[in-house]
Amino acid sequence: MSQTPVQSPPSRLRIAAFAPIGEEGRTELVESRLVQAISVGAFIEGERLPSETELSHLLGVAVVTVREALGALRHRGLIETRRGRNGGSFVRPSHGTVEEVNARALMEMPRVALADLGVHYEVISSACAEYACLRATPEELRIVERILRETRDLPAQLWRRRITEVQLELAALSQSVRLTNEHVRLQTEFTPFLALQDQDVEARLATHDALLAQITATQSGDVAAARTAVRESVRASARWLVRFRGELLETSQTGDLRATLGSRHTRGDSGGALSGEESA
Amino acid sequence: MSEAVGRSLDDAIARVDDFFDGVFAPLEEWLPPLRTRVSGWIDDESFTGAQLAALVEEDVTRMLDNAERPLYGAGYCASDAVVTEGNPLAWWQGPERSLLASSTFGPGQAAIDLVRLEWYRVPAATGERHVAGPFVDYLCSNEITITSALPVEVDGRFCGVICADVIVASLERVLLPRVAELVDATLVNLGGRVVVSTDPGYETGDRYLGADPESGIDALVAAGSAPDGVRIARSARYPFALIGSGAGAN
């Protein structure tokens, strides 16, 4: 087994991304599904998307619909198309593009909807955590814990992908198909926002440590502690996002979004101080 | 606990064994010709997941079509000795026998992903067949599943596993009527996780009360019995046991 961190996403997210769309499939629907897949990190920068034919099979829509959707993505600068034997559509190898798409989505989302997404995610994750306490085996938990521990010092983007994987795995340990499916759906929706935190080292470590605490609690079958770890962590993230959204809206009056986001990478913080402390 | 209940427990676990014998039979039949073919692929550096899928599709769909057990899906998951590029999992499932999305694994993802999965990890480590689950299979069936796996070895090299999936929903139909004559019989895996039960107090995925989280039901099985008039019949060949509680004796 290779010891190098592998730059790749949780498989389950891809399966969700390619669940058949069916007859109501419009170009916009294919487009938003692909944007979501890219922004959730289901595809890495520079990676080739499935071919038009394969996408049309997977999504259950006509090739021409896929072609139009890819055209729209190209126009938005999210993918680039190369011709020739090794050609195809590739995710634009620039983290900035994806981050900008996610930041815009955050700005456009009403605050009340953002908060409610946080509540929904928190409730489903906590429920999964409770059932995992009752049902997961030590061996299963050891594997998740190992994946998590190997993740801590990875660069932000790789770290986020691994974390998403860990979150999905923990949900599946509930042994509930319904909860796992619901979790995948929410994870796909929430992760692009959560990833905006990744430039904030403090926020990143807080997420990481909360997951470790959740696993430890699950290992000892402590339902209350597992639920608490999930709740506090998701709420902290939701507060962070609300604050960050506010900052983005403020700077959008005056400046350029890309520059604002870019400055975070050099400053190494978010501008929004994370409140790691929990008001009891 | 009456002799009668004990006997019917033994009968019922024998039926469980018979069921899984029937799951493994087509895999065992497929293994020798597959190994011959795999030996020709091993040294081909450029052998891709797409080629693998094309080459084994006929074998797998035939196996699914002729199966005498309710197999939900089946396929071959190659190790990196065989497939270094693309998706190593050639898998067909569901009523349509559809190929699992070839884009499931990203580049270089397989090695890390596979090691997480019990049905791959255990045969890779032991060289022995394994039955994994029940677990939420969010990679393939997206159902609560039991995966039966057989390692593929060529000249002592581990070349992956061939597997067949049975979803618990269909297992229930096969096994529950047979244990229904017992009062409160629960089929568990060796980790103490409930597969199916006639006891309304237990659902699939639950941990059987008294099973140790770390050693599962080993301690109970070793004793051959458990407190409260509970009797255990362990499978001869598979990681399962049937636990009957003795209301029937009274």
Side-chain angles (χ1 to χ4, degrees):
Chain A
M1 220 195 88
S2 85
Q3 291 305 307
T4 49
V6 173
Q7 306 204 26
S8 206
S11 321
R12 186 61 185 83
L13 293 177
R14 295 196 182 195
I15 294 171
F18 298 136
I21 282 177
E23 282 321 295
E24 87 283 11
R26 301 259 182 291
T27 306
E28 294 76 21
L29 209 47
V30 176
E31 185 189 342
S32 71
R33 194 71 89 70
L34 291 172
V35 168
Q36 205 169 38
I38 292 169
S39 50
V40 76
F43 287 90
I44 55 176
E45 280 115 44
E47 193 182 347
R48 182 165 54 182
L49 292 175
S51 70
E52 287 179 353
T53 320
E54 193 182 349
L55 283 172
S56 112
H57 278 304
L58 290 168
L59 298 166
V61 300
V63 172
V64 62
T65 310
V66 171
R67 195 167 298 149
E68 283 172 9
L70 291 173
L73 291 182
R74 202 172 304 121
H75 183 73
R76 293 170 68 172
L78 279 168
I79 61 170
E80 52 193 34
T81 304
R82 293 175 219 154
R83 306 211 173 283
R85 189 168 164 275
N86 295 318
S89 293
F90 295 80
V91 179
R92 266 274 296 275
S94 133
H95 179 58
T97 318
V98 174
E99 194 180 35
E100 197 181 336
V101 166
N102 294 340
R104 284 203 191 283
L106 182 69
M107 286 157 74
E108 285 161 17
M109 193 174 202
R111 180 172 163 171
V112 63
L114 174 64
D116 207 26
L117 174 60
V119 169
H120 195 179
Y121 182 86
E122 175 201 321
V123 166
I124 297 297
S125 307
S126 320
C128 289
E130 170 160 348
Y131 270 88
C133 284
L134 305 173
R135 292 172 157 187
T137 64
E139 179 65 8
E140 287 167 336
L141 289 163
R142 267 193 293 271
I143 290 170
V144 185
E145 184 186 1
R146 200 190 63 218
I147 294 173
L148 184 62
R149 288 194 185 280
E150 288 168 356
T151 298
R152 193 181 179 91
D153 301 322
L154 293 180
Q157 278 180 271
L158 285 180
W159 174 85
R160 173 56 68 185
R161 281 189 204 106
R162 286 272 161 233
I163 288 299
T164 303
E165 208 165 85
V166 165
Q167 288 167 325
L168 292 174
E169 192 71 27
L170 285 169
L173 292 184
S174 67
Q175 306 302 313
S176 162
V177 172
R178 281 173 177 260
L179 284 180
T180 306
N181 284 342
E182 189 64 3
H183 192 280
V184 168
R185 217 173 54 75
L186 285 164
Q187 186 83 48
T188 302
E189 216 178 329
F190 204 26
T191 296
F193 296 138
L194 291 174
L196 290 165
Q197 289 185 97
D198 294 355
Q199 297 309 318
D200 181 336
V201 176
E202 217 179 320
R204 207 160 72 212
L205 291 179
T207 297
H208 195 97
D209 294 340
L211 281 168
L212 268 179
Q214 183 188 336
I215 291 172
T216 305
T218 310
Q219 282 165 331
S220 53
D222 187 338
V223 172
R227 277 184 164 272
T228 301
V230 173
R231 185 176 58 240
E232 301 305 355
S233 171
V234 177
R235 289 188 189 179
S237 290
R239 279 197 305 274
W240 189 101
L241 284 167
V242 165
R243 202 176 301 119
F244 185 57
R245 178 179 166 279
E247 288 169 17
L248 288 174
L249 288 169
E250 215 169 293
T251 53
S252 72
Q253 311 286 334
T254 54
D256 166 28
L257 177 65
R258 186 164 293 205
T260 308
L261 292 170
S263 71
R264 297 195 313 151
H265 294 253
T266 48
R267 280 212 318 273
D269 75 8
S270 64
L274 177 89
S275 68
E277 78 288 345
E278 286 306 332
S279 43
Chain B
M1 161 81 55
S2 71
E3 280 304 305
V5 171
R7 264 201 314 278
S8 52
L9 266 186
D10 291 336
D11 289 349
I13 197 71
R15 290 195 192 108
V16 172
D17 284 355
D18 177 67
F19 178 86
F20 283 99
D21 287 345
V23 173
F24 274 104
L27 292 172
E28 281 162 354
E29 201 178 318
W30 184 33
L31 186 60
L34 179 69
R35 285 176 59 196
T36 307
R37 300 174 74 197
V38 170
S39 62
W41 302 334
I42 282 185
D43 298 317
D44 180 351
E45 291 291 318
S46 62
F47 193 73
T48 66
Q51 282 172 283
L52 177 73
L55 287 164
V56 300
E57 177 165 24
E58 202 183 321
D59 289 353
V60 175
T61 47
R62 193 180 327 117
M63 181 159 74
L64 288 169
D65 289 340
N66 301 333
E68 291 174 11
R69 296 289 184 270
L71 302 186
Y72 184 79
Y76 172 31
C77 186
S79 76
D80 52 12
V82 181
V83 171
T84 46
E85 197 189 321
N87 177 16
L89 179 58
W91 191 264
W92 290 263
Q93 63 178 21
E96 307 288 308
R97 307 276 181 254
S98 18
L99 173 68
L100 195 71
S102 69
S103 312
T104 298
F105 295 103
Q109 172 72 2
I112 287 234
D113 246 357
L114 291 176
V115 111
R116 270 201 344 239
L117 303 163
E118 190 188 330
W119 49 263
Y120 187 91
R121 188 180 71 245
V122 174
T126 62
E128 302 287 335
R129 64 168 54 183
H130 185 66
V131 183
F135 65 106
V136 176
D137 180 359
Y138 60 78
L139 194 64
C140 300
S141 70
N142 211 25
E143 295 284 354
I144 294 269
T145 305
I146 293 179
T147 301
S148 303
L150 213 53
V152 179
E153 279 187 8
V154 176
D155 301 333
R157 281 169 84 184
F158 175 71
C159 295
V161 289
I162 51 176
C163 303
D165 272 357
V166 175
I167 59 176
V168 169
S170 59
L171 194 69
E172 206 177 89
R173 284 194 288 275
V174 177
L175 296 178
L176 270 186
R178 298 189 165 154
V179 293
E181 67 212 48
L182 305 165
V183 177
D184 288 353
T186 306
L187 182 67
V188 298
N189 70 10
L190 294 194
R193 176 171 291 163
V194 173
V195 183
V196 288
S197 177
T198 60
D199 180 346
Y202 282 117
E203 293 306 335
T204 301
D206 286 346
R207 191 180 296 148
Y208 193 86
L209 195 68
D212 179 75
E214 196 63 58
S215 63
I217 58 159
D218 273 358
L220 298 185
V221 174
S225 70
D228 313 327
V230 167
R231 201 173 163 290
I232 297 174
R234 162 103 200 240
S235 155
R237 295 184 286 285
Y238 301 106
F240 296 110
L242 196 57
I243 306 178
S245 60
N250 307 324

